Amino acid sequence: MTIEVRNIAKHFGSFCAVDNVSFNVEEGELVALLGPSGSGKSTILRIIAGLETPDRGEVFITGRNVTELTAQQRKVGFVFQHYALFKHMTVAKNIAFGLEIQKRPRQEIAAKVDELINLVKLQGYEKHYPSQLSGGQRQRVALARTIATEPAVLLLDEPFGALDMKVRQNLAAWLKELHDKLHITSVFVTHDQSEAIEISDKIVIINRGRVEQMGNAHDVYEHPGSKFVASFIGQVNVIDASILNNRIMIKDTRHSIDNISDIPNGNDIVLLIRPEDITLEEKSGERCLPCVIKQIHYRGSFYELDLDIGGFIIKALENKNSFKREQWKQNQQAFMHVKHYKVFETEEGHNIIREQLRQLGYIE
Amino acid sequence: MKTNNPGRLVLITLVVGWFAVLILLPVYGIVQETVKSGLSLVVSSLSTPHARHAFLLTFWITLAAVIINTVFGIIIALVLVKQEFRGKLLIEGLLDLPFAVSPIVAGFMFIILFGPNGLIGSWFEGQGIKIIYALPGMIIATLFVTLPFVAREVMPVLREAGLEQEEAAYVLGASPWQAFWRVTLPSVKWGLIYGVTLTVARSIGEFGAVIVVSGNIINRTQTATLHIHQGFTDFNYAAAYSAALLLAILSFTLLITMQTLNRRTNES
């Protein structure tokens, strides 16, 4: 069972929700569509399910063109963000719904419902109504209801978006487990990059209705293909700079760092540094920039540092065990050692990039 | 909120008193009057051919109005909630017109339209079908005054239920028809039951519009309410009181049954 999305586009009035999107999902893969809200990722999922009609483009499921088929005919499993359980039916009836529509024999339905109740660990809740369940339980019922009919592919629209942190992590891990067990080709939509990194085999990053980058979690995190991807996947510091004498000069300072790119002298760039790639040093060295410690926040398992470099405040994360808290104080001069960083050329100039990132909500 | 202040007691007394004056006392009055005339007189005045015909006619008109307006009420609610089209706001506004227009005015509108010389009535007259001063006209008048109930009660429930449950039904393989019967309709069940109850109560009790279009012909176009009215004008108070009591009992039973059912499902 594979999914192929080919050049799909969708407008809502004059708003372009999906703009020429193509990607493949291989047999048994668990793929995350990751992007900020309003990026069009849910619309793409709904187009695959047949709940929205694309203006252009085609959808193939297992090689078959399903673009013209209704949702009813596509036989995909779809899990909604707000569960969409049938409120007037019990848990058991909800799970049995798809099987009853298929007019399966009564005993078979009963056996299947039992099996699924066990699978989603809701024994004893068969006769409960959705309103009597917690959010996590409801979403498990929704999952059971969806896989009851053994759909060819499973589509999940922000399946854990309405749940609180802890339930969400448990359920995400459980979904991964379930996927490994059933091996059903799945696509899930999320705006939570840690969720995407944690459970997916492949991440498709969506921004403004387009595919920004595709790849496994490690690839998109370590080798972001665009400023957007770099800033969206994980936390990142965005610093204005330019190339001078084959070095990266931080804007409005005399501080510089090795140019790891082949961007020529004189060009404006932005420097992207992940907070966890910075370590604080007392002495300067290779790939070090002088800075002033502005704040040290205790965050439980780690410390979050605000470092000032030429007026830019840069976030750094230090592990609780390796960071020597007593060694540092506010307004102390120090050096930040940068293990990894990324450089992007900014033909449009710094302000435009900053404005874009601000609109997307990645920087303040 | 604090619970034991004198203001609270005053408010409760006010509400109970208001109910007593406006609802309980009149009911007591009817019961009192009927009891005074004696149970046998009640039974005999309710079993006259006129009375029986009147109640039977009310029953048929109510049945017709309920069936037609339930079907149309659901369709109207579905269209107004789920579809976007030009003039939707206008239609939604017009839906409340029967609440605003006096039933007598409505009755006259139908006479003008469906009367023997009316725009539509003259054509039917040519086919030998009488609408005004006959059953069809009375049903139409009742349909008009009860039009908004089902639609108005179903619409908010439908809006609240949203689209997702139906979408879930579709992706699980249900046809639009199956989704409607198994998901949409059950999810608006209580709104629908409430709307139907109000339709029944109003159909049974409708007087103004019906008296205008019916011509109030005894044994032919006289409904229960018209029969009560007739009793008054003929000084046949026993007939009027007993019929009024029976109508009141019917309405109360209807309301109480619905309330109990509603409470029971809410608790489960």
Side-chain angles (χ1 to χ4, degrees), chain A residues 4-44:
Chain A
E4 189 185 346
V5 173
R6 210 181 275 171
N7 305 326
I8 55 167
K10 174 81 181 174
H11 287 76
F12 292 110
S14 60
F15 175 69
C16 179
V18 180
D19 185 6
N20 201 27
V21 163
S22 305
F23 61 88
N24 292 331
V25 183
E26 304 303 330
E27 171 87 46
E29 250 184 346
L30 178 56
V31 168
L33 292 185
L34 176 64
S37 58
S39 60
K41 55 194 191 305
S42 285
T43 308
I44 297 170

Side-chain angles (χ1 to χ4, degrees), chain A residues 46 49 51 71-72 76 78 80 82 84-89 97-98 100-101 103 145-146 149, chain B residues 160-161 164-176 178-179 182-184 186-187 268:
Chain A
R46 291 171 62 84
L51 293 171
Q72 183 201 349
V76 299
F78 198 98
F80 296 81
H82 298 288
L85 292 179
F86 305 127
K87 292 191 186 113
H88 59 283
M89 293 184 200
F97 186 87
E100 282 176 0
I101 292 286
K103 301 209 162 54
R145 179 179 70 176
T146 306
T149 52
Chain B
E160 199 229 305
E164 275 203 337
Q165 290 187 57
E166 283 161 40
E167 288 184 342
Y170 294 144
V171 288
L172 287 165
S175 65
Q178 283 171 319
R182 286 167 178 255
V183 175
T184 316
S187 67
S268 74

Side-chain angles (χ1 to χ4, degrees), chain A residues 53-325:
Chain A
T53 321
D55 303 339
R56 266 190 301 113
E58 288 159 324
V59 177
F60 294 83
I61 295 176
T62 321
R64 178 172 170 230
N65 189 338
V66 297
T67 319
E68 299 299 319
L69 298 185
T70 63
Q72 183 201 349
Q73 296 163 326
R74 289 194 194 186
K75 299 199 164 54
V76 299
F78 198 98
V79 175
F80 296 81
Q81 179 177 5
H82 298 288
Y83 330 123
L85 292 179
F86 305 127
K87 292 191 186 113
H88 59 283
M89 293 184 200
T90 60
V91 167
K93 276 280 172 194
N94 263 284
I95 298 174
F97 186 87
L99 300 167
E100 282 176 0
I101 292 286
Q102 294 180 351
K103 301 209 162 54
R104 301 267 190 94
R106 193 169 296 175
Q107 285 115 340
E108 188 197 321
I109 295 178
K112 187 85 192 176
V113 169
D114 261 1
E115 181 196 325
L116 286 162
I117 291 267
N118 286 326
L119 184 72
V120 298
K121 301 180 185 109
L122 282 170
Q123 297 92 332
Y125 288 95
E126 292 88 344
K127 296 252 179 316
H128 284 57
Y129 283 88
S131 60
Q132 299 166 303
L133 304 180
S134 71
Q137 289 172 329
R138 286 181 206 184
Q139 196 56 297
R140 298 213 301 269
V141 175
L143 270 162
R145 179 179 70 176
T146 306
I147 55 183
T149 52
E150 292 167 11
V153 297
L154 187 58
L155 308 172
L156 307 108
D157 187 6
E158 300 249 7
F160 316 123
L163 302 169
D164 62 51
M165 192 71 142
K166 200 161 172 63
V167 181
R168 176 186 205 143
Q169 282 170 354
N170 286 338
L171 211 50
W174 178 81
L175 175 69
K176 173 83 177 158
E177 219 173 276
L178 187 75
H179 176 263
D180 292 346
K181 190 149 72 182
L182 303 177
H183 233 71
I184 175 169
T185 307
S186 310
V187 180
F188 80 104
V189 156
T190 181
H191 64 265
D192 180 343
Q193 35 110 358
S194 59
E195 198 172 280
I197 289 170
E198 191 185 332
I199 67 175
S200 64
D201 300 319
K202 186 162 92 186
I203 298 178
V204 179
I205 297 173
I206 309 287
N207 181 32
R208 299 186 178 193
R210 294 185 181 180
V211 175
E212 282 274 342
Q213 192 174 356
M214 258 184 274
N216 65 36
H218 184 265
D219 282 348
V220 292
Y221 195 85
E222 299 299 332
H223 309 290
S226 68
K227 299 174 288 276
F228 171 79
V229 173
S231 60
F232 188 68
I233 291 282
Q235 245 192 318
V236 75
N237 293 295
V238 183
I239 304 150
D240 298 348
S242 54
I243 308 289
L244 212 71
N245 300 328
N246 283 322
R247 288 183 69 75
I248 298 168
M249 293 288 294
I250 310 296
K251 198 182 169 199
D252 300 333
T253 69
R254 289 156 157 249
H255 309 318
S256 68
I257 192 167
D258 298 348
N259 184 9
I260 49 163
S261 68
D262 45 17
I263 300 168
N265 281 333
N267 286 26
D268 277 350
I269 59 148
V270 288
L271 182 63
L272 300 179
I273 307 173
R274 293 196 188 283
E276 66 270 28
D277 287 340
I278 297 172
T279 42
L280 215 49
E281 303 283 351
E282 273 178 307
K283 294 196 180 81
S284 186
E286 189 81 344
R287 289 187 178 174
C288 273
L289 289 163
C291 62
V292 177
I293 301 171
K294 281 291 168 198
Q295 289 287 343
I296 302 175
H297 309 277
Y298 178 59
R299 297 279 188 243
S301 59
F302 59 91
Y303 287 94
E304 188 181 317
L305 314 175
D306 290 352
L307 307 174
D308 184 314
I309 170 162
F312 287 111
I313 295 296
I314 289 171
K315 293 264 179 209
L317 298 181
E318 289 273 10
N319 189 298
K320 181 182 73 176
N321 299 321
S322 56
F323 185 65
K324 299 193 170 47
R325 175 68 184 86

Side-chain angles (χ1 to χ4, degrees), chain B residues 29-30 33-34 37 228 232 236-246:
Chain B
I30 284 191
E33 272 312 310
T34 331
S37 14
I228 295 168
F232 272 115
N236 185 358
Y237 290 132
Y241 288 138
S242 33
L245 183 68
L246 183 56

